[in-house]
Amino acid sequence: MRTRGAVIAEVPGRLEVIDLEVDEPRADELEVKVVASGMCHSDDHHATGDSHVGILPFAMGHEGAGIVTRLGGPNTKGIKEGDHVVFNPLPSCGHCRRCATGHQNLCDLGAGVLVGARWRDPSSYRLHTVDGRPVGQMCGISTFASTTLVSIESVVKIPDDIPLDKACLVGCGVSTGWGSAVTMAEVQPGHTVVVMGTGGVGVNAVQGAVHAGAAHIIGVDPAEFKRQAALEFGATHAVATMDEAAELARQFTNGQGADAVVVTVGVLQPDYVAQALGALGKGGICVVTAVGNEKSVGVPIRMTELTFSQKQLRGTVFGGTNGNWDVLRLLDLYRAGRLKLDELITRTYTLDEIQKGYDDLLSDQLVRGVVLHD
Ligand SMILES: [Zn+2]
Ligand SMILES: [Zn+2]
């Protein structure tokens, strides 16, 4: 079938909306009408070339929700036509070592998410241009296409009563931020937490720290608009620099420093990791969630900080999220009024306005922008 979607055709490049041909669903695949797609910063990292993709054109978007329109066949998840789903940006097979031990975000299928092809048939693509050239799929889902074709391993069925334009946010930004604080930083009641960068992922790290019972949550962002957002999502303090945040954290901890620092800046730089580690107290955990240039190496840290202060430096992809469970529990928290989703959406865009949306994101005007497909 024919659809439209936003792709990058060159790197560095900008998003452009083109016609796409969607393949026939195979036995383990679903065709989904995408209703809404959040605009995550990661897509821009691929457009700039910070991290590379397997093929061009590449159909972007990895945070979405929609309605199943066709099935390739009966499936193990029992998904039917008409079911509402949130897309998992990292697929989960359910039986590899990582899935089997509660780390679905590290599923072996993740190796294929930036290749763009079917993971079990890497020479075959689910999307094509109208003249027959293969089009890669961001995370195997390409949620900036109005209709997409995905593996059953890339969806979580959700209850029908959750509005899809809100549910889509749980696909990446909310679960990544929330999981970075709750799962990866192991925030405990009474902790002092610093969240470095309070955009669409960082404010959800703030929400996670609230849920985990942190006593002091310090949001750090040079943009006044994002400091305000941090406070609205539960930060107890919001400052412009890490120096101020580190000073506050020491005040709250009898001079020791933060229990956790979550790094959720827009573009990761090695210096930021050093600053984050410096703000920690003994035994603290620094979680690096942000993405920077894949070629960048070297963090200027004193090695003894790791040893003698027993500080931990942890990277995370997707906030350590187990999509099949975390998506559902986050939506339950939303339904119970305990997780803010509506407030995350600064502005909505049509598909044709998508590059404008990214321009707004990169000029610090958005917590989250959402594309609403027709
Ligand atoms: Zn994302
Ligand atoms: Zn797996």
Side-chain angles (χ1 to χ4, degrees), residues 24-46:
E24 289 292 303
R26 293 188 181 177
D28 59 345
E29 292 177 340
L30 308 169
E31 183 190 275
V32 183
K33 183 187 172 350
V34 184
V35 172
S37 179
M39 293 165 31
C40 185
H41 199 132
S42 301
D43 291 275
D44 191 65
H45 286 295
H46 301 300

Side-chain angles (χ1 to χ4, degrees), residues 39-43 62-63 89 138 171-173 176 201 318 368:
M39 293 165 31
C40 185
H41 199 132
S42 301
D43 291 275
H62 65 278
E63 179 180 285
M138 174 77 170
C172 179
T176 299
V201 175
F318 197 24
R368 212 41 149 196

Side-chain angles (χ1 to χ4, degrees), residues 104-191:
Q104 291 181 0
N105 65 315
L106 299 179
C107 174
D108 290 347
L109 294 178
V113 294
L114 296 177
V115 175
R118 287 178 161 102
W119 15 86
R120 293 195 178 82
D121 183 4
S123 64
S124 126
Y125 292 79
R126 301 188 189 97
L127 301 178
H128 290 83
T129 60
V130 289
D131 58 2
R133 284 178 300 139
V135 175
Q137 279 182 298
M138 174 77 170
C139 293
I141 54 182
S142 49
T143 57
F144 294 154
S146 297
T147 292
T148 188
L149 184 66
V150 303
S151 162
I152 188 77
E153 289 139 335
S154 296
V155 297
V156 179
K157 176 176 155 42
I158 63 163
D160 289 351
D161 65 312
I162 308 280
L164 291 167
D165 61 329
K166 312 301 187 303
C168 71
L169 302 168
V170 172
C172 179
V174 175
S175 34
T176 299
W178 192 87
S180 294
V182 174
T183 306
M184 298 306 302
E186 300 180 29
V187 174
Q188 307 272 321
H191 273 186

Side-chain angles (χ1 to χ4, degrees), residues 30 32-33 35 64-69 79-87 155-165 167 327-328 331:
L30 308 169
V32 183
K33 183 187 172 350
V35 172
I67 301 170
V68 176
T69 45
I79 288 179
K80 304 180 298 298
E81 269 183 41
D83 279 350
H84 291 194
V85 292
V86 164
F87 295 97
V155 297
V156 179
K157 176 176 155 42
I158 63 163
D160 289 351
D161 65 312
I162 308 280
L164 291 167
D165 61 329
V327 162
L328 296 175
L331 292 177

Side-chain angles (χ1 to χ4, degrees), residues 298-314:
V299 175
I301 57 176
R302 246 180 302 134
M303 302 305 286
T304 49
E305 256 189 284
L306 294 175
T307 317
F308 295 134
S309 297
Q310 204 172 299
K311 295 181 180 179
Q312 296 183 47
L313 180 55
R314 292 185 178 179

Side-chain angles (χ1 to χ4, degrees), residues 191-256:
H191 273 186
T192 293
V193 179
V194 175
V195 177
M196 186 178 187
T198 53
V201 175
V203 291
N204 291 301
V206 169
Q207 296 210 81
V210 172
H211 289 171
H216 308 287
I217 304 169
I218 306 161
V220 187
D221 205 294
E224 160 66 26
F225 165 70
K226 291 188 184 171
R227 291 198 295 277
Q228 201 52 46
L231 294 171
E232 284 161 21
F233 282 84
T236 54
H237 299 77
V239 295
T241 66
M242 277 303 284
D243 284 346
E244 294 168 89
E247 179 52 38
L248 271 177
R250 284 191 289 269
Q251 281 177 29
F252 298 140
T253 54
N254 197 23
Q256 300 233 343

